């Protein structure tokens, strides 16, 4: 069966805010120890914690990647800002989880839980335009983690869904050479799980350029909360940090031929 791509771009850049009311269970297959939790709106979410290994930089990757995917018309679970109270998790028996929850008080990020979703089977054929847009998107955001070892793709309600963009924007871990990193040809694209099906990369590039622009990218970057970018190792203000992300995205978009050709070469 071939999944047919139905384009449905979202113009809604905003995020709802919820309060986490119940910790259900850890999802230990994730390196950052995400968890399934319930919020005060009655829905379940996969929570990504600010107290995990890469801290708020991983949350920023999820936020920026998720919103860019959404405006490109890709299926991604709803993102929400998820607030953890200071007392949350004190009764948790597992010391590792308790430490994680204590270190994550404040604003975290949640993805709507797709109950009953199945892991994507790489033998499943999908629409080549959909595969191409996902490959383009991951090259644009420098996501190194959508491979055969870990696809971060789910099959839900007969559609392909993207999850886990936390390995995107890895330039921010070194926090230097911003212009150079924006022009990264992204050779890791050779390992992408959908590359072999991405036969319409030029069309994907054209679609992305018709959708993404400075205004949309600025709106997305402006979603980054101030307290997610108050890092000890930098001197920039939150506004200056957001400007670095914005400049990275706009420069990368205007030079998309660099990573587009890298993906084409990898296919060839």
């Amino acid at each position: 069966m071939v999944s047919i791509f139905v384009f449905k771009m979202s113009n809604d850049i905003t995020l709802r805010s919820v309060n986490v009311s119940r910790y259900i269970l850890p999802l230990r297959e994730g390196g950052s120890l995400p968890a399934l939790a319930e919020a005060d709106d009655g829905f379940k979410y996969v929570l990504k914690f600010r107290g995990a290994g890469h801290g708020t930089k991983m949350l920023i990757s999820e936020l920026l990647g998720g919103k860019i995917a959404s405006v490109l018309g890709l299926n991604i679970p709803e993102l929400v800002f998820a607030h953890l109270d200071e007392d949350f998790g004190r009764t948790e028996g597992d010391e590792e989880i308790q430490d994680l929850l204590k270190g994550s008080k404040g604003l975290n990020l949640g993805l709507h839980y797709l109950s009953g979703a199945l892991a994507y089977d790489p033998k499943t054929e999908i629409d080549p335009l959909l595969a191409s847009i996902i490959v383009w998107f991951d090259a644009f955001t420098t996501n190194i983690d959508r491979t055969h070892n870990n696809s971060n793709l789910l099959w839900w309600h007969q559609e392909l869904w993207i999850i886990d963009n936390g390995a995107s924007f890895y330039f921010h871990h070194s926090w230097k050479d911003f212009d150079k990193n924006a022009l990264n040809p992204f050779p890791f694209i050779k390992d992408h799980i959908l590359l072999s099906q991405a036969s319409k990369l030029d069309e994907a590039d054209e679609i992305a350029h018709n959708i993404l622009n400075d205004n949309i990218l600025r709106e997305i970057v402006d979603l980054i909360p101030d307290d997610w970018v108050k890092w000890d190792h930098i001197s920039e203000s939150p506004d200056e940090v957001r400007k670095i992300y914005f400049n990275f995205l706009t420069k990368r978009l205007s030079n998309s031929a660099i990573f587009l050709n890298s993906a084409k070469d990898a296919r060839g």
Side-chain angles (χ1 to χ4, degrees):
M1 180 182 70
V2 178
S3 171
I4 302 300
F5 179 46
V6 179
F7 186 79
K8 43 188 175 184
M9 184 184 76
S10 171
N11 293 318
D12 185 9
I13 305 296
T14 61
L15 264 75
R16 294 187 300 115
S17 295
V18 301
N19 295 306
V20 182
S21 56
R22 183 168 67 101
Y23 183 97
I24 300 174
L25 56 87
L27 302 174
R28 293 187 181 274
E29 65 271 18
S32 58
L33 203 64
L36 180 63
E38 189 173 20
D40 58 358
D41 61 354
F43 291 109
K44 293 183 177 68
Y45 296 93
V46 175
L47 281 190
K48 301 297 183 77
F49 296 104
R50 62 187 300 151
H54 289 301
T56 56
K57 289 184 178 181
M58 182 268 293
L59 301 185
I60 290 170
S61 295
E62 290 280 10
L63 175 62
L64 298 182
K67 282 301 177 181
I68 292 169
S70 181
V71 299
L72 287 175
L74 300 174
N75 290 322
I76 184 165
E78 182 193 7
L79 296 174
V80 296
F81 289 126
H83 186 269
L84 250 65
D85 186 82
E86 186 174 2
D87 295 328
F88 191 86
R90 286 189 176 180
T91 59
E92 172 58 46
D94 186 307
E95 289 188 8
E96 181 184 12
I97 295 174
Q98 188 176 116
D99 290 342
L100 175 65
L101 297 177
K102 286 180 179 178
S104 300
K105 66 180 180 181
L107 208 58
N108 298 270
L109 193 71
L111 291 86
H112 192 91
Y113 177 59
L114 304 181
S115 179
L118 300 174
Y120 168 70
D121 182 347
K123 295 178 182 178
T124 303
E125 292 184 49
I126 65 171
D127 188 311
L129 181 58
L130 172 57
S132 300
I133 292 175
I134 294 174
V135 168
W136 188 98
F137 159 71
D138 283 326
F140 176 56
T141 59
T142 64
N143 181 12
I144 61 175
D145 200 15
R146 204 164 332 269
T147 67
H148 285 271
N149 292 330
N150 191 18
S151 73
N152 287 319
L153 295 169
L154 295 178
W155 200 252
W156 192 63
H157 289 187
Q158 299 183 341
E159 291 184 309
L160 195 65
W161 289 71
I162 286 177
I163 59 167
D164 203 343
N165 296 292
S168 305
F169 302 100
Y170 57 84
F171 81 91
H172 60 190
H173 296 297
S174 61
W175 204 246
K176 61 182 181 180
D177 300 328
F178 305 117
D179 286 342
K180 178 181 178 181
N181 279 292
L183 300 177
N184 180 355
F186 196 61
F188 295 108
I189 202 65
K190 66 181 175 58
D191 299 318
H192 199 286
I193 190 171
L194 298 180
L195 184 63
S196 64
Q197 300 193 57
S199 58
K200 296 187 176 182
L201 288 168
D202 285 320
E203 290 180 46
D205 187 59
E206 183 178 358
I207 288 171
H209 277 270
N210 286 335
I211 295 171
L212 299 177
N213 55 52
D214 286 7
N215 289 336
I216 288 176
L217 293 174
R218 190 179 299 279
E219 281 187 64
I220 292 173
V221 167
D222 283 347
L223 291 171
I224 302 174
D226 282 2
D227 73 339
W228 282 10
V229 290
K230 293 179 178 178
W231 305 320
D232 293 337
H233 63 90
I234 67 169
S235 58
E236 291 91 348
S237 69
D239 281 340
E240 290 170 332
V241 171
R242 283 187 284 263
K243 185 176 181 180
I244 288 172
Y245 280 107
F246 173 74
N247 288 340
F248 174 88
L249 288 168
T250 54
K251 190 178 186 74
R252 194 153 181 79
L253 180 63
S254 62
N255 292 276
S256 66
I258 295 174
F259 62 80
L260 183 70
N261 288 333
S262 181
K264 288 180 179 179
D265 290 345
R267 274 181 51 80

